[in-house]
Amino acid sequence: MKKVLFLFGVLAFMSCKKEATENVQPTETYSEGESAEAKTPEALGKDIFEGKGNCISCHQVDQKVIGPSIQEIAKTYKDKKGNIVTFLKGNAEPIVDPSQFPVMKTNIPITQAMSDEELKGLESYIYSNLK
């Protein structure tokens, strides 16, 4: 009789343990519309450019608005072998249109607070518009 009760107790314990592991929820969460795949640097850069960086308010892809176009920025940095990330960190002089720098200077603290990954993403996005 003791063996039967012991066996019954073990089976009951094992069934509870199995049920507990079956109801485990995944720990990864994604916001609505977010893909499980990692974003490319260009996609990250575009999101920052149009979102938290608010770069789009002064820069358009193919026309000068307040600041130079993205295409002009990419061409100038490529031709002059400049470093966009270094400029956005506040560690390089402007090379595209230095006369416009006072307007851009107010936004440098925003880019200085960005991670290297974010800045490289912005750079990738800018260069992806090079024609």
PDB file of all heavy atoms in Angstrom, residues 90-128:
ATOM      1  N   GLY A  90      30.070  65.607 -33.413  1.00  0.00           N
ATOM      2  CA  GLY A  90      30.539  66.950 -33.064  1.00  0.00           C
ATOM      3  C   GLY A  90      32.051  67.060 -33.080  1.00  0.00           C
ATOM      4  O   GLY A  90      32.610  68.011 -32.536  1.00  0.00           O
ATOM      5  N   ASN A  91      32.731  66.102 -33.729  1.00  0.00           N
ATOM      6  CA  ASN A  91      34.195  66.071 -33.730  1.00  0.00           C
ATOM      7  C   ASN A  91      34.812  66.397 -35.083  1.00  0.00           C
ATOM      8  O   ASN A  91      35.977  66.076 -35.313  1.00  0.00           O
ATOM      9  CB  ASN A  91      34.677  64.685 -33.272  1.00  0.00           C
ATOM     10  CG  ASN A  91      34.249  64.371 -31.855  1.00  0.00           C
ATOM     11  OD1 ASN A  91      34.136  65.264 -31.017  1.00  0.00           O
ATOM     12  ND2 ASN A  91      33.982  63.114 -31.576  1.00  0.00           N
ATOM     13  N   ALA A  92      34.050  67.009 -35.981  1.00  0.00           N
ATOM     14  CA  ALA A  92      34.585  67.385 -37.292  1.00  0.00           C
ATOM     15  C   ALA A  92      33.869  68.641 -37.770  1.00  0.00           C
ATOM     16  O   ALA A  92      32.713  68.889 -37.415  1.00  0.00           O
ATOM     17  CB  ALA A  92      34.388  66.249 -38.299  1.00  0.00           C
ATOM     18  N   GLU A  93      34.560  69.396 -38.576  1.00  0.00           N
ATOM     19  CA  GLU A  93      33.997  70.611 -39.148  1.00  0.00           C
ATOM     20  C   GLU A  93      33.014  70.258 -40.264  1.00  0.00           C
ATOM     21  O   GLU A  93      33.179  69.229 -40.928  1.00  0.00           O
ATOM     22  CB  GLU A  93      35.127  71.489 -39.705  1.00  0.00           C
ATOM     23  CG  GLU A  93      36.081  72.010 -38.638  1.00  0.00           C
ATOM     24  CD  GLU A  93      35.388  72.911 -37.629  1.00  0.00           C
ATOM     25  OE1 GLU A  93      34.593  73.790 -38.039  1.00  0.00           O
ATOM     26  OE2 GLU A  93      35.635  72.735 -36.424  1.00  0.00           O
ATOM     27  N   PRO A  94      32.032  71.100 -40.511  1.00  0.00           N
ATOM     28  CA  PRO A  94      31.098  70.847 -41.616  1.00  0.00           C
ATOM     29  C   PRO A  94      31.814  71.014 -42.956  1.00  0.00           C
ATOM     30  O   PRO A  94      32.645  71.906 -43.110  1.00  0.00           O
ATOM     31  CB  PRO A  94      30.036  71.929 -41.427  1.00  0.00           C
ATOM     32  CG  PRO A  94      30.716  73.015 -40.659  1.00  0.00           C
ATOM     33  CD  PRO A  94      31.732  72.335 -39.797  1.00  0.00           C
ATOM     34  N   ILE A  95      31.496  70.127 -43.901  1.00  0.00           N
ATOM     35  CA  ILE A  95      32.138  70.226 -45.209  1.00  0.00           C
ATOM     36  C   ILE A  95      31.132  70.412 -46.345  1.00  0.00           C
ATOM     37  O   ILE A  95      31.529  70.741 -47.456  1.00  0.00           O
ATOM     38  CB  ILE A  95      33.047  69.018 -45.502  1.00  0.00           C
ATOM     39  CG1 ILE A  95      32.262  67.708 -45.544  1.00  0.00           C
ATOM     40  CG2 ILE A  95      34.191  68.941 -44.501  1.00  0.00           C
ATOM     41  CD1 ILE A  95      33.068  66.497 -45.976  1.00  0.00           C
ATOM     42  N   VAL A  96      29.850  70.237 -46.098  1.00  0.00           N
ATOM     43  CA  VAL A  96      28.865  70.357 -47.175  1.00  0.00           C
ATOM     44  C   VAL A  96      28.525  71.824 -47.415  1.00  0.00           C
ATOM     45  O   VAL A  96      28.705  72.339 -48.504  1.00  0.00           O
ATOM     46  CB  VAL A  96      27.595  69.535 -46.885  1.00  0.00           C
ATOM     47  CG1 VAL A  96      26.578  69.706 -48.000  1.00  0.00           C
ATOM     48  CG2 VAL A  96      27.940  68.062 -46.707  1.00  0.00           C
ATOM     49  N   ASP A  97      28.000  72.490 -46.422  1.00  0.00           N
ATOM     50  CA  ASP A  97      27.630  73.901 -46.538  1.00  0.00           C
ATOM     51  C   ASP A  97      27.907  74.566 -45.191  1.00  0.00           C
ATOM     52  O   ASP A  97      26.996  74.732 -44.370  1.00  0.00           O
ATOM     53  CB  ASP A  97      26.153  74.024 -46.926  1.00  0.00           C
ATOM     54  CG  ASP A  97      25.735  75.465 -47.213  1.00  0.00           C
ATOM     55  OD1 ASP A  97      26.574  76.380 -47.068  1.00  0.00           O
ATOM     56  OD2 ASP A  97      24.562  75.656 -47.583  1.00  0.00           O
ATOM     57  N   PRO A  98      29.168  74.956 -44.962  1.00  0.00           N
ATOM     58  CA  PRO A  98      29.530  75.522 -43.655  1.00  0.00           C
ATOM     59  C   PRO A  98      28.686  76.731 -43.243  1.00  0.00           C
ATOM     60  O   PRO A  98      28.496  76.968 -42.048  1.00  0.00           O
ATOM     61  CB  PRO A  98      30.995  75.915 -43.834  1.00  0.00           C
ATOM     62  CG  PRO A  98      31.494  75.004 -44.903  1.00  0.00           C
ATOM     63  CD  PRO A  98      30.329  74.821 -45.837  1.00  0.00           C
ATOM     64  N   SER A  99      28.139  77.465 -44.195  1.00  0.00           N
ATOM     65  CA  SER A  99      27.319  78.630 -43.840  1.00  0.00           C
ATOM     66  C   SER A  99      26.025  78.219 -43.131  1.00  0.00           C
ATOM     67  O   SER A  99      25.430  79.014 -42.402  1.00  0.00           O
ATOM     68  CB  SER A  99      26.998  79.467 -45.085  1.00  0.00           C
ATOM     69  OG  SER A  99      26.121  78.754 -45.943  1.00  0.00           O
ATOM     70  N   GLN A 100      25.579  76.997 -43.329  1.00  0.00           N
ATOM     71  CA  GLN A 100      24.360  76.501 -42.701  1.00  0.00           C
ATOM     72  C   GLN A 100      24.621  75.850 -41.341  1.00  0.00           C
ATOM     73  O   GLN A 100      23.679  75.464 -40.653  1.00  0.00           O
ATOM     74  CB  GLN A 100      23.672  75.466 -43.600  1.00  0.00           C
ATOM     75  CG  GLN A 100      23.019  76.060 -44.830  1.00  0.00           C
ATOM     76  CD  GLN A 100      21.824  76.890 -44.443  1.00  0.00           C
ATOM     77  OE1 GLN A 100      21.932  78.093 -44.194  1.00  0.00           O
ATOM     78  NE2 GLN A 100      20.673  76.275 -44.375  1.00  0.00           N
ATOM     79  N   PHE A 101      25.886  75.732 -40.960  1.00  0.00           N
ATOM     80  CA  PHE A 101      26.218  75.020 -39.731  1.00  0.00           C
ATOM     81  C   PHE A 101      25.566  75.601 -38.475  1.00  0.00           C
ATOM     82  O   PHE A 101      25.144  74.831 -37.601  1.00  0.00           O
ATOM     83  CB  PHE A 101      27.728  74.890 -39.545  1.00  0.00           C
ATOM     84  CG  PHE A 101      28.090  74.075 -38.342  1.00  0.00           C
ATOM     85  CD1 PHE A 101      27.760  72.724 -38.274  1.00  0.00           C
ATOM     86  CD2 PHE A 101      28.725  74.646 -37.254  1.00  0.00           C
ATOM     87  CE1 PHE A 101      28.072  71.963 -37.161  1.00  0.00           C
ATOM     88  CE2 PHE A 101      29.046  73.889 -36.140  1.00  0.00           C
ATOM     89  CZ  PHE A 101      28.717  72.543 -36.089  1.00  0.00           C
ATOM     90  N   PRO A 102      25.439  76.934 -38.343  1.00  0.00           N
ATOM     91  CA  PRO A 102      24.777  77.437 -37.130  1.00  0.00           C
ATOM     92  C   PRO A 102      23.365  76.856 -36.912  1.00  0.00           C
ATOM     93  O   PRO A 102      22.954  76.634 -35.785  1.00  0.00           O
ATOM     94  CB  PRO A 102      24.726  78.952 -37.345  1.00  0.00           C
ATOM     95  CG  PRO A 102      25.907  79.226 -38.231  1.00  0.00           C
ATOM     96  CD  PRO A 102      25.988  78.030 -39.152  1.00  0.00           C
ATOM     97  N   VAL A 103      22.649  76.582 -37.995  1.00  0.00           N
ATOM     98  CA  VAL A 103      21.318  75.972 -37.878  1.00  0.00           C
ATOM     99  C   VAL A 103      21.458  74.526 -37.413  1.00  0.00           C
ATOM    100  O   VAL A 103      20.740  74.073 -36.522  1.00  0.00           O
ATOM    101  CB  VAL A 103      20.562  76.053 -39.225  1.00  0.00           C
ATOM    102  CG1 VAL A 103      19.233  75.320 -39.134  1.00  0.00           C
ATOM    103  CG2 VAL A 103      20.369  77.496 -39.640  1.00  0.00           C
ATOM    104  N   MET A 104      22.402  73.804 -38.006  1.00  0.00           N
ATOM    105  CA  MET A 104      22.615  72.393 -37.664  1.00  0.00           C
ATOM    106  C   MET A 104      23.189  72.250 -36.253  1.00  0.00           C
ATOM    107  O   MET A 104      22.900  71.276 -35.556  1.00  0.00           O
ATOM    108  CB  MET A 104      23.559  71.751 -38.694  1.00  0.00           C
ATOM    109  CG  MET A 104      23.964  70.328 -38.394  1.00  0.00           C
ATOM    110  SD  MET A 104      22.548  69.210 -38.460  1.00  0.00           S
ATOM    111  CE  MET A 104      23.341  67.673 -38.026  1.00  0.00           C
ATOM    112  N   LYS A 105      23.978  73.204 -35.840  1.00  0.00           N
ATOM    113  CA  LYS A 105      24.660  73.123 -34.540  1.00  0.00           C
ATOM    114  C   LYS A 105      23.688  72.911 -33.378  1.00  0.00           C
ATOM    115  O   LYS A 105      24.011  72.221 -32.416  1.00  0.00           O
ATOM    116  CB  LYS A 105      25.480  74.395 -34.323  1.00  0.00           C
ATOM    117  CG  LYS A 105      26.423  74.326 -33.167  1.00  0.00           C
ATOM    118  CD  LYS A 105      27.289  75.580 -33.120  1.00  0.00           C
ATOM    119  CE  LYS A 105      28.301  75.466 -32.010  1.00  0.00           C
ATOM    120  NZ  LYS A 105      29.211  76.597 -31.990  1.00  0.00           N
ATOM    121  N   THR A 106      22.486  73.448 -33.491  1.00  0.00           N
ATOM    122  CA  THR A 106      21.504  73.260 -32.412  1.00  0.00           C
ATOM    123  C   THR A 106      21.050  71.810 -32.297  1.00  0.00           C
ATOM    124  O   THR A 106      20.534  71.408 -31.258  1.00  0.00           O
ATOM    125  CB  THR A 106      20.276  74.170 -32.615  1.00  0.00           C
ATOM    126  OG1 THR A 106      19.643  73.822 -33.851  1.00  0.00           O
ATOM    127  CG2 THR A 106      20.668  75.637 -32.628  1.00  0.00           C
ATOM    128  N   ASN A 107      21.243  71.021 -33.362  1.00  0.00           N
ATOM    129  CA  ASN A 107      20.831  69.614 -33.352  1.00  0.00           C
ATOM    130  C   ASN A 107      21.965  68.648 -33.015  1.00  0.00           C
ATOM    131  O   ASN A 107      21.707  67.457 -32.836  1.00  0.00           O
ATOM    132  CB  ASN A 107      20.224  69.243 -34.709  1.00  0.00           C
ATOM    133  CG  ASN A 107      18.935  69.982 -34.952  1.00  0.00           C
ATOM    134  OD1 ASN A 107      18.055  70.005 -34.103  1.00  0.00           O
ATOM    135  ND2 ASN A 107      18.833  70.627 -36.100  1.00  0.00           N
ATOM    136  N   ILE A 108      23.171  69.135 -32.937  1.00  0.00           N
ATOM    137  CA  ILE A 108      24.316  68.257 -32.636  1.00  0.00           C
ATOM    138  C   ILE A 108      24.144  67.529 -31.295  1.00  0.00           C
ATOM    139  O   ILE A 108      24.470  66.347 -31.204  1.00  0.00           O
ATOM    140  CB  ILE A 108      25.654  69.037 -32.715  1.00  0.00           C
ATOM    141  CG1 ILE A 108      25.948  69.432 -34.165  1.00  0.00           C
ATOM    142  CG2 ILE A 108      26.811  68.246 -32.119  1.00  0.00           C
ATOM    143  CD1 ILE A 108      26.238  68.276 -35.108  1.00  0.00           C
ATOM    144  N   PRO A 109      23.614  68.153 -30.240  1.00  0.00           N
ATOM    145  CA  PRO A 109      23.412  67.386 -28.996  1.00  0.00           C
ATOM    146  C   PRO A 109      22.531  66.147 -29.186  1.00  0.00           C
ATOM    147  O   PRO A 109      22.717  65.138 -28.509  1.00  0.00           O
ATOM    148  CB  PRO A 109      22.762  68.395 -28.048  1.00  0.00           C
ATOM    149  CG  PRO A 109      23.261  69.721 -28.525  1.00  0.00           C
ATOM    150  CD  PRO A 109      23.331  69.587 -30.026  1.00  0.00           C
ATOM    151  N   ILE A 110      21.589  66.210 -30.117  1.00  0.00           N
ATOM    152  CA  ILE A 110      20.731  65.051 -30.390  1.00  0.00           C
ATOM    153  C   ILE A 110      21.568  63.920 -30.974  1.00  0.00           C
ATOM    154  O   ILE A 110      21.464  62.776 -30.539  1.00  0.00           O
ATOM    155  CB  ILE A 110      19.591  65.427 -31.359  1.00  0.00           C
ATOM    156  CG1 ILE A 110      18.653  66.444 -30.698  1.00  0.00           C
ATOM    157  CG2 ILE A 110      18.819  64.187 -31.805  1.00  0.00           C
ATOM    158  CD1 ILE A 110      17.653  67.073 -31.653  1.00  0.00           C
ATOM    159  N   THR A 111      22.404  64.245 -31.957  1.00  0.00           N
ATOM    160  CA  THR A 111      23.218  63.198 -32.585  1.00  0.00           C
ATOM    161  C   THR A 111      24.344  62.723 -31.671  1.00  0.00           C
ATOM    162  O   THR A 111      24.726  61.564 -31.723  1.00  0.00           O
ATOM    163  CB  THR A 111      23.780  63.665 -33.948  1.00  0.00           C
ATOM    164  OG1 THR A 111      24.550  64.850 -33.776  1.00  0.00           O
ATOM    165  CG2 THR A 111      22.667  63.920 -34.938  1.00  0.00           C
ATOM    166  N   GLN A 112      24.850  63.608 -30.824  1.00  0.00           N
ATOM    167  CA  GLN A 112      25.888  63.199 -29.874  1.00  0.00           C
ATOM    168  C   GLN A 112      25.365  62.171 -28.874  1.00  0.00           C
ATOM    169  O   GLN A 112      26.124  61.345 -28.381  1.00  0.00           O
ATOM    170  CB  GLN A 112      26.446  64.409 -29.114  1.00  0.00           C
ATOM    171  CG  GLN A 112      27.365  65.269 -29.952  1.00  0.00           C
ATOM    172  CD  GLN A 112      27.804  66.528 -29.216  1.00  0.00           C
ATOM    173  OE1 GLN A 112      27.041  67.124 -28.456  1.00  0.00           O
ATOM    174  NE2 GLN A 112      29.046  66.934 -29.448  1.00  0.00           N
ATOM    175  N   ALA A 113      24.085  62.208 -28.592  1.00  0.00           N
ATOM    176  CA  ALA A 113      23.483  61.268 -27.641  1.00  0.00           C
ATOM    177  C   ALA A 113      23.181  59.910 -28.270  1.00  0.00           C
ATOM    178  O   ALA A 113      22.850  58.961 -27.569  1.00  0.00           O
ATOM    179  CB  ALA A 113      22.199  61.860 -27.067  1.00  0.00           C
ATOM    180  N   MET A 114      23.326  59.801 -29.586  1.00  0.00           N
ATOM    181  CA  MET A 114      23.041  58.546 -30.281  1.00  0.00           C
ATOM    182  C   MET A 114      24.199  57.568 -30.146  1.00  0.00           C
ATOM    183  O   MET A 114      25.356  57.969 -30.007  1.00  0.00           O
ATOM    184  CB  MET A 114      22.757  58.809 -31.760  1.00  0.00           C
ATOM    185  CG  MET A 114      21.480  59.558 -32.004  1.00  0.00           C
ATOM    186  SD  MET A 114      21.206  59.791 -33.777  1.00  0.00           S
ATOM    187  CE  MET A 114      19.793  60.863 -33.745  1.00  0.00           C
ATOM    188  N   SER A 115      23.860  56.288 -30.227  1.00  0.00           N
ATOM    189  CA  SER A 115      24.882  55.238 -30.163  1.00  0.00           C
ATOM    190  C   SER A 115      25.645  55.188 -31.486  1.00  0.00           C
ATOM    191  O   SER A 115      25.195  55.723 -32.507  1.00  0.00           O
ATOM    192  CB  SER A 115      24.224  53.881 -29.910  1.00  0.00           C
ATOM    193  OG  SER A 115      23.486  53.477 -31.055  1.00  0.00           O
ATOM    194  N   ASP A 116      26.800  54.537 -31.472  1.00  0.00           N
ATOM    195  CA  ASP A 116      27.573  54.360 -32.699  1.00  0.00           C
ATOM    196  C   ASP A 116      26.756  53.611 -33.743  1.00  0.00           C
ATOM    197  O   ASP A 116      26.812  53.930 -34.926  1.00  0.00           O
ATOM    198  CB  ASP A 116      28.875  53.607 -32.425  1.00  0.00           C
ATOM    199  CG  ASP A 116      29.915  54.475 -31.718  1.00  0.00           C
ATOM    200  OD1 ASP A 116      29.757  55.714 -31.693  1.00  0.00           O
ATOM    201  OD2 ASP A 116      30.892  53.905 -31.194  1.00  0.00           O
ATOM    202  N   GLU A 117      25.976  52.625 -33.308  1.00  0.00           N
ATOM    203  CA  GLU A 117      25.140  51.860 -34.234  1.00  0.00           C
ATOM    204  C   GLU A 117      24.118  52.766 -34.919  1.00  0.00           C
ATOM    205  O   GLU A 117      23.890  52.670 -36.129  1.00  0.00           O
ATOM    206  CB  GLU A 117      24.420  50.732 -33.496  1.00  0.00           C
ATOM    207  CG  GLU A 117      23.509  49.913 -34.380  1.00  0.00           C
ATOM    208  CD  GLU A 117      22.702  48.874 -33.617  1.00  0.00           C
ATOM    209  OE1 GLU A 117      22.590  48.958 -32.379  1.00  0.00           O
ATOM    210  OE2 GLU A 117      22.158  47.970 -34.277  1.00  0.00           O
ATOM    211  N   GLU A 118      23.511  53.655 -34.146  1.00  0.00           N
ATOM    212  CA  GLU A 118      22.532  54.572 -34.720  1.00  0.00           C
ATOM    213  C   GLU A 118      23.184  55.544 -35.704  1.00  0.00           C
ATOM    214  O   GLU A 118      22.650  55.806 -36.788  1.00  0.00           O
ATOM    215  CB  GLU A 118      21.814  55.346 -33.613  1.00  0.00           C
ATOM    216  CG  GLU A 118      20.896  54.479 -32.776  1.00  0.00           C
ATOM    217  CD  GLU A 118      20.352  55.193 -31.556  1.00  0.00           C
ATOM    218  OE1 GLU A 118      21.104  55.931 -30.887  1.00  0.00           O
ATOM    219  OE2 GLU A 118      19.155  55.015 -31.261  1.00  0.00           O
ATOM    220  N   LEU A 119      24.348  56.065 -35.331  1.00  0.00           N
ATOM    221  CA  LEU A 119      25.051  57.000 -36.212  1.00  0.00           C
ATOM    222  C   LEU A 119      25.510  56.311 -37.491  1.00  0.00           C
ATOM    223  O   LEU A 119      25.411  56.879 -38.583  1.00  0.00           O
ATOM    224  CB  LEU A 119      26.231  57.628 -35.485  1.00  0.00           C
ATOM    225  CG  LEU A 119      25.864  58.572 -34.330  1.00  0.00           C
ATOM    226  CD1 LEU A 119      27.099  58.994 -33.562  1.00  0.00           C
ATOM    227  CD2 LEU A 119      25.096  59.787 -34.843  1.00  0.00           C
ATOM    228  N   LYS A 120      25.984  55.091 -37.378  1.00  0.00           N
ATOM    229  CA  LYS A 120      26.383  54.341 -38.578  1.00  0.00           C
ATOM    230  C   LYS A 120      25.165  54.024 -39.439  1.00  0.00           C
ATOM    231  O   LYS A 120      25.254  53.981 -40.663  1.00  0.00           O
ATOM    232  CB  LYS A 120      27.144  53.083 -38.190  1.00  0.00           C
ATOM    233  CG  LYS A 120      28.528  53.401 -37.661  1.00  0.00           C
ATOM    234  CD  LYS A 120      29.282  52.174 -37.195  1.00  0.00           C
ATOM    235  CE  LYS A 120      30.597  52.609 -36.589  1.00  0.00           C
ATOM    236  NZ  LYS A 120      31.334  51.499 -36.030  1.00  0.00           N
ATOM    237  N   GLY A 121      24.023  53.816 -38.805  1.00  0.00           N
ATOM    238  CA  GLY A 121      22.785  53.611 -39.542  1.00  0.00           C
ATOM    239  C   GLY A 121      22.401  54.859 -40.326  1.00  0.00           C
ATOM    240  O   GLY A 121      22.023  54.778 -41.498  1.00  0.00           O
ATOM    241  N   LEU A 122      22.522  56.027 -39.688  1.00  0.00           N
ATOM    242  CA  LEU A 122      22.255  57.284 -40.391  1.00  0.00           C
ATOM    243  C   LEU A 122      23.197  57.441 -41.583  1.00  0.00           C
ATOM    244  O   LEU A 122      22.764  57.809 -42.676  1.00  0.00           O
ATOM    245  CB  LEU A 122      22.421  58.475 -39.448  1.00  0.00           C
ATOM    246  CG  LEU A 122      21.249  58.805 -38.550  1.00  0.00           C
ATOM    247  CD1 LEU A 122      21.635  59.875 -37.536  1.00  0.00           C
ATOM    248  CD2 LEU A 122      20.065  59.281 -39.372  1.00  0.00           C
ATOM    249  N   GLU A 123      24.462  57.158 -41.350  1.00  0.00           N
ATOM    250  CA  GLU A 123      25.452  57.251 -42.431  1.00  0.00           C
ATOM    251  C   GLU A 123      25.089  56.303 -43.579  1.00  0.00           C
ATOM    252  O   GLU A 123      25.129  56.695 -44.750  1.00  0.00           O
ATOM    253  CB  GLU A 123      26.845  56.925 -41.882  1.00  0.00           C
ATOM    254  CG  GLU A 123      27.948  56.995 -42.922  1.00  0.00           C
ATOM    255  CD  GLU A 123      29.293  56.630 -42.332  1.00  0.00           C
ATOM    256  OE1 GLU A 123      29.417  55.535 -41.736  1.00  0.00           O
ATOM    257  OE2 GLU A 123      30.222  57.444 -42.473  1.00  0.00           O
ATOM    258  N   SER A 124      24.720  55.074 -43.253  1.00  0.00           N
ATOM    259  CA  SER A 124      24.327  54.097 -44.282  1.00  0.00           C
ATOM    260  C   SER A 124      23.117  54.583 -45.064  1.00  0.00           C
ATOM    261  O   SER A 124      23.063  54.446 -46.286  1.00  0.00           O
ATOM    262  CB  SER A 124      24.009  52.739 -43.654  1.00  0.00           C
ATOM    263  OG  SER A 124      25.158  52.173 -43.116  1.00  0.00           O
ATOM    264  N   TYR A 125      22.148  55.139 -44.352  1.00  0.00           N
ATOM    265  CA  TYR A 125      20.951  55.647 -45.024  1.00  0.00           C
ATOM    266  C   TYR A 125      21.315  56.801 -45.958  1.00  0.00           C
ATOM    267  O   TYR A 125      20.842  56.866 -47.098  1.00  0.00           O
ATOM    268  CB  TYR A 125      19.903  56.085 -44.006  1.00  0.00           C
ATOM    269  CG  TYR A 125      18.716  56.751 -44.653  1.00  0.00           C
ATOM    270  CD1 TYR A 125      17.874  56.042 -45.513  1.00  0.00           C
ATOM    271  CD2 TYR A 125      18.441  58.101 -44.437  1.00  0.00           C
ATOM    272  CE1 TYR A 125      16.794  56.660 -46.139  1.00  0.00           C
ATOM    273  CE2 TYR A 125      17.361  58.713 -45.049  1.00  0.00           C
ATOM    274  CZ  TYR A 125      16.546  57.986 -45.897  1.00  0.00           C
ATOM    275  OH  TYR A 125      15.481  58.593 -46.522  1.00  0.00           O
ATOM    276  N   ILE A 126      22.143  57.707 -45.500  1.00  0.00           N
ATOM    277  CA  ILE A 126      22.548  58.849 -46.334  1.00  0.00           C
ATOM    278  C   ILE A 126      23.255  58.340 -47.587  1.00  0.00           C
ATOM    279  O   ILE A 126      22.911  58.749 -48.704  1.00  0.00           O
ATOM    280  CB  ILE A 126      23.431  59.829 -45.529  1.00  0.00           C
ATOM    281  CG1 ILE A 126      22.571  60.533 -44.475  1.00  0.00           C
ATOM    282  CG2 ILE A 126      24.109  60.832 -46.458  1.00  0.00           C
ATOM    283  CD1 ILE A 126      23.351  61.324 -43.442  1.00  0.00           C
ATOM    284  N   TYR A 127      24.218  57.434 -47.415  1.00  0.00           N
ATOM    285  CA  TYR A 127      24.946  56.916 -48.579  1.00  0.00           C
ATOM    286  C   TYR A 127      24.050  56.070 -49.496  1.00  0.00           C
ATOM    287  O   TYR A 127      24.310  55.987 -50.684  1.00  0.00           O
ATOM    288  CB  TYR A 127      26.167  56.108 -48.151  1.00  0.00           C
ATOM    289  CG  TYR A 127      27.349  56.994 -47.778  1.00  0.00           C
ATOM    290  CD1 TYR A 127      28.031  56.787 -46.583  1.00  0.00           C
ATOM    291  CD2 TYR A 127      27.799  57.990 -48.620  1.00  0.00           C
ATOM    292  CE1 TYR A 127      29.112  57.577 -46.236  1.00  0.00           C
ATOM    293  CE2 TYR A 127      28.865  58.792 -48.278  1.00  0.00           C
ATOM    294  CZ  TYR A 127      29.529  58.587 -47.085  1.00  0.00           C
ATOM    295  OH  TYR A 127      30.604  59.375 -46.749  1.00  0.00           O
ATOM    296  N   SER A 128      22.987  55.482 -48.965  1.00  0.00           N
ATOM    297  CA  SER A 128      22.101  54.675 -49.806  1.00  0.00           C
ATOM    298  C   SER A 128      21.326  55.547 -50.807  1.00  0.00           C
ATOM    299  O   SER A 128      20.795  55.035 -51.786  1.00  0.00           O
ATOM    300  CB  SER A 128      21.116  53.872 -48.957  1.00  0.00           C
ATOM    301  OG  SER A 128      20.101  54.713 -48.408  1.00  0.00           O
TER     302      SER A 128
END
